[in-house]
Amino acid sequence: MTMKDSGKDTYIASLEIIDPSTADGGTYKCTAHNECGTSSANIALNLQGEPEDEGPTFTKKASIIQKEGGKLIVMDAA
C-alpha cells in the first residue's frame, strides 16, 4: 500500500495486488480519519476462473469522491 500527499489536506492511497489469485478476493476497507471524525468505504473484490484466464480490469482508476460537503465519501471504481 502506498500513500501520497496531493496537497490541500488531500491524500491518495492505493493498494496494488501483484499476480492476484482467488485467495486475494474479499472485502477491502479504506478508512479516513481526522480530528472531525472517521469515514470508511468498502469494496468487494471477487476473483473467479482458472489461472490462465485474464483477470478483472477496471475501466478507470478507482477514486474516492467527497459529496455533501464531506459528509459522504464515495469510492468510484466503475
Side-chain angles (χ1 to χ4, degrees):
M1 184 176 139
T2 60
M3 186 173 340
K4 183 172 92 174
D5 184 349
S6 62
K8 284 187 135 181
D9 296 325
T10 304
Y11 297 87
I12 298 172
S14 63
L15 174 66
E16 181 178 357
I17 301 172
I18 298 170
D19 195 22
S21 69
T22 55
D24 295 311
T27 301
Y28 289 80
K29 182 177 185 177
C30 178
T31 302
H33 58 91
N34 63 18
E35 65 277 357
C36 296
T38 302
S39 184
S40 297
N42 295 318
I43 186 167
L45 178 62
N46 300 308
L47 301 172
Q48 300 174 346
E50 299 299 320
E52 64 271 4
D53 291 343
E54 185 175 324
T57 60
F58 289 101
T59 57
K60 68 178 187 176
K61 186 176 179 179
S63 62
I64 295 180
I65 303 164
Q66 282 191 15
K67 293 186 176 185
E68 298 179 19
K71 293 180 181 179
L72 175 66
I73 296 178
V74 176
M75 181 181 287
D76 183 9

